[in-house]
């Protein structure tokens, strides 16, 4: 799927649309994704800052989705685990970015070449308008070469 079509679709997806989560950029190769969370009355917590679930949701699918599109159909790619550290109250519009470089893709392909599962941790920061870190998110992604692709990968 073209990145621009995917971006439009995910921005209209109700869980993102109604929480103020907005994908602002996806490069055509899916290696760079930028997301923002806009403050809305319905995504504030009791004390007027961003609801922690919304902060996590804005980061949740993008390591997996980026890897799925860059590694291609020969690989299973799943989210396996996640963690978030809330470092500062989030107010206003907050942002985060995901960058997948060629070296990481090469490592994943090499580690998965024999058909074994590969578990890799990725992390990114959610920052406010002044660039201060509001939350630090870690996601563990599962990657495995599909059986039918093993013969062609050798």
């Amino acid at each position: 799927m073209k990145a621009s079509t995917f971006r439009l679709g995910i921005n209209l997806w109700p869980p993102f649309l109604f929480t103020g989560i907005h994908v602002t950029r996806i490069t055509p190769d899916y290696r760079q994704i930028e997301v923002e969370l806009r403050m809305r009355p319905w995504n504030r917590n009791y004390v007027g800052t961003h609801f922690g679930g919304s902060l996590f949701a804005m980061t949740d699918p993008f390591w997996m989705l980026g890897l799925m599109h860059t590694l291609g159909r020969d690989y299973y790619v799943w989210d396996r685990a996640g963690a978030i550290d809330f470092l500062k109250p989030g107010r206003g519009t907050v942002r985060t970015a995901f960058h997948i470089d060629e070296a990481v893709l090469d490592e994943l392909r090499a580690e998965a070449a024999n058909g074994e599962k590969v578990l890799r941790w990725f992390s990114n920061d959610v920052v406010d308008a002044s660039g201060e870190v509001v939350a630090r998110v870690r996601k563990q992604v599962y990657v495995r070469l599909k059986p039918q692709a093993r013969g062609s990968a050798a």
Side-chain angles (χ1 to χ4, degrees):
M1 175 184 299
K2 285 179 55 175
S4 57
T5 304
F6 176 81
R7 181 176 164 263
L8 176 64
I10 202 161
N11 282 333
L12 294 174
W13 187 44
F16 279 7
L17 179 66
F18 295 116
T19 55
I21 297 169
H22 184 76
V23 178
T24 57
R25 179 174 178 253
I26 300 178
T27 57
D29 61 5
Y30 283 84
R31 291 185 189 194
Q32 295 182 36
I33 302 171
E34 296 173 5
V35 181
E36 68 182 22
L37 172 60
R38 302 166 183 167
M39 181 67 82
R40 302 277 196 249
W42 49 88
N43 67 10
R44 292 179 190 189
N45 62 23
Y46 186 75
V47 294
T49 62
H50 277 292
F51 174 63
S54 296
L55 289 168
F56 189 77
M58 75 179 284
T59 67
D60 186 34
F62 295 107
W63 287 114
M64 180 190 78
L65 292 171
L67 289 168
M68 284 176 65
H69 285 278
T70 55
L71 289 171
R73 295 178 183 263
D74 288 343
Y75 294 86
Y76 296 112
V77 181
W78 295 96
D79 279 326
R80 183 151 190 291
I84 186 168
D85 291 318
F86 302 104
L87 304 174
K88 176 185 172 207
R91 294 183 175 87
T93 298
V94 295
R95 294 176 172 77
T96 193
F98 306 83
H99 303 282
I100 302 169
D101 63 28
E102 190 63 35
V104 168
L105 295 171
D106 290 343
E107 289 172 12
L108 290 171
R109 287 182 190 111
E111 292 173 27
N114 66 358
E116 295 297 314
K117 72 178 177 183
V118 178
L119 300 175
R120 175 67 65 97
W121 283 97
F122 294 90
S123 66
N124 54 303
D125 291 339
V126 177
V127 298
D128 62 16
S130 65
E132 291 189 59
V133 179
V134 171
R136 182 157 294 130
V137 180
R138 295 183 59 219
K139 293 293 302 250
Q140 187 182 52
V141 180
Y142 166 105
V143 175
R144 180 179 241 154
L145 186 62
K146 292 180 179 177
Q148 64 273 23
R150 288 185 198 142
S152 62

